[in-house]
Amino acid sequence: MSYIQGQTGEWEMVIGLEVHAQVVSNSKLFSGAATAFGAAPNEQVSLVDAAFPGMLPVLNEKCVEQAVRTGLGLKAEINMTSVFDRKNYFYADLPAGYQISQFTQPIVGKGEILLDMADGETRKVGITRLHLEQDAGKSMHDQSPTETFVDLNRAGVALMEIVSEPDMRSGEEAGAYLKKLRAILRYLGTCDGNMEEGSMRCDVNLSMRRKGDTKLGTRCEIKNVNSIRFVQQAIDYEAARQVDVLESGGEIKQETRLWDTAKGETRSMRSKEDAHDYRYFPDPDLLPLVLDPAMVERVKSTLPELPDEKKARFISDYGLKPYDASVLVAEKASADFFEQVAKGRDGKLAANWVTGELFGALNKMGKSIDESPVSAAALGELVGLISDQTISGRIAKDVFEDMLATGKGAAAIVEEKGLKQVTDTGAIEKSIDDILAANADKVAEYKSGKDKLFGFFVGQVMKATGGKANPAMLNDLLKKKLS
Ligand code: ADP
Ligand code: MG
């Protein structure tokens, strides 16, 4: 390919994402069968899920509430009346021969998501709709050389399909969208967002156009990409592929493609021309879904503080930079951890320690914040010791290493190792005098204009005090002595 992936010259990417999010619910959308992950094949299948003749679907109220909750979290319109349709197609893992979904009248309409970009900017992406539908079962082709098996555990599990407007312009934005959507779903408790277990799956729609064009180009859809990293890789590959076709005078065929993880390329799966006619029609077994306004109000009143609101509060209450705030709120557990560290202390300093030293250490250990060997209370103690000038920031890093390794408290380590900062003016002055006396030649050079030597003197005094001299005091006193 002539284009470097991710760089598309005069061409602009246009991306819209469809996300299938498995609803957190103990039972399925239209049956009482369980939904837990990891059960043995066909252990969680009711007669409704297996589409036995005469079985009737009964709508699960909990799933409806979860969809409403998600809609409210996406600042979207809640449609008080929606309709379940049959989407007809034949496949071995779909025993009924149709999927119950929503088509023309979904439960949730237009909404929006704010993306937090690395440069601290935010970008708004429109949500087109959210509808409820059933998941299909799973065909297993790798169990026998001659037969295919079907596992219906997933058949009938409730999914929310969340469709975005074609508002994204890069793989990075698509990644930010998925991270933000996942965070919102997790805060709401409506989907666990676990892409490895398939509880959140993504279809990528991508087209290219010349920068400045307003008309959308023909798109391709890349089905079922199962990690954020793969979504970004698939976008970069597909964008470069489409630009190659367009620049050599060809046309993009609207089609469904696959992301081949092993080869790192997208591949044609089926063209849209022979796309199935699903013959959607309202499911005669189900009445239109009419929501009770009181239920919507009740769900609204139980919404938690969501990432955007938390971020705004962190910025105003703790004086954090927008990007740092968005990093902290990306997971509720880290936001909570930070607030415990920051409570009654210097918020900015606390944020630096959580996003810097702590996240760095956890990353190295491959641990999540819940598994942190240093508790929020312990890190708070350390931050407190820096703020009240018991130790310098430099010494604090060593103390933190010790805390990670030994599990001891910050104050205990400082005491034990005698790391208390020297804030006694006399002691610091004495040390400065000694260093200046021993380096008379350098003092002369400094006075004749070699300003850079200031740092040398600071370093010498620090060395002499075992790094314990209070840096601000040392600076002041040294300046006075040298003037
Ligand atoms: P379908 O169900 O056939 O895939 P939709 O109208 O539901 O069609 O669109 C699916 C997704 O494709 C949406 O996220 C939408 O934003 C996106 N999309 C539509 N047109 C384009 C385009 N020209 N380029 C990129 N994305 C697009
Ligand atoms: Mg689609």
Side-chain angles (χ1 to χ4, degrees), residues 14 16-18 163-166 205 207 216-217 219 221 272:
V14 174
L17 300 178
E18 293 163 89
V163 182
S164 87
E165 292 289 304
N205 293 271
S207 64
L216 294 179
R219 74 182 146 119
E221 179 175 15
K272 209 69 176 185

Side-chain angles (χ1 to χ4, degrees), residues 141-258:
H141 306 291
D142 54 359
Q143 308 287 309
S144 147
T146 53
E147 289 165 305
T148 289
F149 294 115
V150 176
D151 175 8
L152 293 181
N153 280 349
R154 241 172 44 191
V157 163
L159 301 178
M160 297 179 281
E161 178 169 334
I162 303 164
V163 182
S164 87
E165 292 289 304
D167 286 348
M168 285 158 275
R169 297 290 174 267
S170 65
E172 194 199 348
E173 286 184 3
Y177 172 88
L178 290 170
K179 281 183 200 152
K180 191 58 174 284
L181 176 60
R182 186 173 63 184
I184 293 170
L185 296 172
R186 284 179 172 165
Y187 269 63
L188 291 167
T190 55
C191 169
D192 69 25
N194 194 332
M195 291 185 88
E196 298 83 64
E197 290 178 3
S199 44
M200 192 170 137
R201 313 194 282 269
C202 178
D203 301 341
V204 178
N205 293 271
L206 173 91
S207 64
M208 302 300 294
R209 64 180 173 192
R210 295 246 183 220
K211 281 184 185 157
D213 276 4
T214 46
K215 213 168 135 281
L216 294 179
T218 305
R219 74 182 146 119
C220 289
E221 179 175 15
I222 311 160
K223 275 275 178 211
N224 268 330
V225 193
N226 66 0
S227 85
I228 292 176
R229 195 162 51 91
F230 290 154
V231 165
Q232 291 177 318
Q233 287 173 2
I235 285 171
D236 285 343
Y237 177 90
E238 179 63 14
R241 185 192 72 83
Q242 290 190 13
V243 169
D244 268 357
V245 172
L246 293 167
E247 291 212 327
S248 58
E251 271 181 20
I252 300 298
K253 283 185 296 212
Q254 188 170 340
E255 63 184 357
T256 302
R257 301 179 69 88
L258 276 180

Side-chain angles (χ1 to χ4, degrees), residues 5 95 115 135 221 248 343 348 390 393 395 426 439 447 455 467 470:
Q5 291 185 26
L115 312 188
D135 204 348
E221 179 175 15
S248 58
K343 202 169 173 208
K348 266 190 188 161
T390 305
I395 295 277
N439 294 282
K447 290 199 167 153
N470 175 296

